[in-house]
Amino acid sequence: MTWRHALVIDPVAENDPRVHFGSTFTPIDPAAPALSVGELSTQRGDGIFESIGVVDGHPQEVAAHLDRLAHSAVLCDLPVPHLEQWRQAVASAAAEAPAGESVMKLILSRGVEHGPAPTAWITLAEAPDFSVPRTRGIRIVTLDRGFDSEAPARAPWLLLGAKTLSYAVNMAAIREARRRGADDAVFVSSDGYLLEGPTSSLILRIDGRFLTPAPGAGILHGTTQMSLFEELARQGHATAYETLPVDALGQADAAWLVSSVRLAAPVTSIDGAPLAVDTDLTAAMNAYLLSPRD
Amino acid sequence: MTWRHALVIDPVAENDPRVHFGSTFTPIDPAAPALSVGELSTQRGDGIFESIGVVDGHPQEVAAHLDRLAHSAVLCDLPVPHLEQWRQAVASAAAEAPAGESVMKLILSRGVEHGPAPTAWITLAEAPDFSVPRTRGIRIVTLDRGFDSEAPARAPWLLLGAKTLSYAVNMAAIREARRRGADDAVFVSSDGYLLEGPTSSLILRIDGRFLTPAPGAGILHGTTQMSLFEELARQGHATAYETLPVDALGQADAAWLVSSVRLAAPVTSIDGAPLAVDTDLTAAMNAYLLSPRD
């Protein structure tokens, strides 16, 4: 992975006139030290992020990602991001992207400990080559997320549904999946409902309908899943958000984990039980996801 | 808070001869940028930490903190820290501490994304003035942690019991406590057992015995609580680790949240119900905790 570009954003308040002059972010050397050891993002994982796929210089679904960034900010009591400022910064970073696929990360940290304000930055890097998982697929295992499905509504301080920088558990779940001989995981609530992957959304096809676990049970509203559902609906397919018990996995004749950069990865086995891959449909999904989307 | 000192550690493997020359860490300017935007500590909260109290230049309970750092590393699949290297770095940082109280943070990150090795550093800063919470006490509220008490054993990938950098929920719990007019929180499992504070351990006095929730239910083994229990036992008091239902709070005639830097903060109310403070005992606890301890 080659770092291509980075810029530091000076988060502004609503109506800050500097935004009109595009002077609220500064390119930096992505390989040079840029962050203080006092950063609460490092000390506490205290901040929020988004990962945006960039294809041939086009950042995908920017509005949906910025909406979710703003939603995460509210859940985390962070100052609401100035969306026009972030749009400008995303466009500036995307202009540095080479042909092919890149990954852009947007980070809004609570800032330096005891400091006056949040810190924010964007990085752009070459995307890994995901052609193998997109075509040959991935083996997944189900992992208990520990929470019951009512915890998010009962305990908003658990920040379920916010895309925070505190992703140590998500990373540990992927390591556990690999220990079990799989490639990725799907979280299940302690009361037996399907949630999401550690860094992706789950889509099942059951009786010709495309289903994903309903947001609100503490899962992120997936930007790639939303975009793909719109496209599937345009093609005449039925799509739905449902509360899905773990048994629904056994009823699916196809399944995918979808995310902004790896895109649609077809599932080839769940906890060791094989699942067929719909090769043509998966290829069509990824062709759509690689086309410019807004 | 004034930053006093920082140093970057080059984590070494067992038997690295450089450790004998003390040449595996480097002082840096704590105010200058030091970390890459590719740091997984910032992007994913992916790493572990310890906070050590330093009193008049003496770092407290270093061995217990380093043991816990090593324990967290195992839970998080990080390379086991070289304890002699860390001991040297802690001593080097402590030598820069002024008179009075400081806080030393030890951070071991998984490193820069796609990088070859973990990154590690230590910061030293002036401690906040905690004389008011130590003497006048703190109001606490109970908050649901979302997990049942069997989740830690069932799902080790939840990293319960590891002191990870993914502390966004802990920080959100303290903000929720303040919204409720309190100073701090105590987490309760979804099945009704007392756990710990977001950054502290809970000690209750019931019928003359000092009790703390048993580690293993997904809580950290508190270094300050352990040290204080040793001292209480030396003074002839009974101490015990117990599985404590939330109702135990109503049976306590005194309670404390204890941690490495704020030390013993007596609880003056729980969810609005007042609790008496044992002023003399609390003063004795804090006098002990401020004395040099190893």
Side-chain angles (χ1 to χ4, degrees), chain A residues 1 3 6 28 30-39 41-47 49 51 75-77 105 107 110 112-114 121 123 128 143-148 151 154-155 157-159 164-169 171-173 175-176 179-180 187 190 199, chain B residues 1 3 6 28 30-39 41-47 49 51 75-77 105 107 110 112-114 121 123 128 143-148 151 154-155 157-159 164-169 171-173 175-176 179-180 187 190 199:
Chain A
M1 185 182 235
W3 297 99
I28 59 167
L35 306 174
S36 158
V37 289
E39 253 295 323
S41 55
T42 68
Q43 289 188 17
R44 301 294 198 186
D46 197 359
F49 79 104
S51 294
L75 293 177
C76 292
D77 301 311
K105 292 194 184 172
I107 294 188
R110 202 171 300 276
V112 174
E113 193 172 12
H114 307 291
W121 63 94
T123 60
L143 291 180
D144 187 342
R145 187 63 188 84
F147 297 112
D148 63 273
R154 192 172 72 227
W157 50 89
L158 299 176
L159 306 179
T164 78
L165 299 175
S166 286
Y167 254 42
V169 168
M171 299 296 103
R175 291 196 300 275
E176 175 68 17
R179 249 192 297 273
R180 295 183 185 197
F187 284 129
S190 61
T199 63
Chain B
M1 187 181 233
W3 297 98
I28 59 166
L35 305 174
S36 158
V37 289
E39 253 296 322
S41 56
T42 70
Q43 290 189 17
R44 301 294 198 186
D46 198 359
F49 78 105
S51 294
L75 293 177
C76 294
D77 301 311
K105 292 193 183 173
I107 294 187
R110 201 170 301 276
V112 173
E113 193 172 11
H114 306 290
W121 62 94
T123 62
L143 292 180
D144 186 342
R145 186 64 186 85
F147 297 111
D148 63 274
R154 193 173 70 227
W157 49 88
L158 300 176
L159 306 179
T164 77
L165 300 174
S166 285
Y167 253 41
V169 168
M171 299 295 103
R175 291 195 303 275
E176 175 68 16
R179 251 193 296 272
R180 297 184 184 194
F187 283 129
S190 61
T199 62

Side-chain angles (χ1 to χ4, degrees), chain B residues 203 210 228 232 256 258 264 280-290:
Chain B
I203 296 177
F210 293 82
L228 199 53
L232 286 166
W256 297 264
V258 304
D280 291 349
L281 179 61
T282 302
M285 283 178 171
N286 281 315
Y288 164 71
L289 291 172
L290 285 166

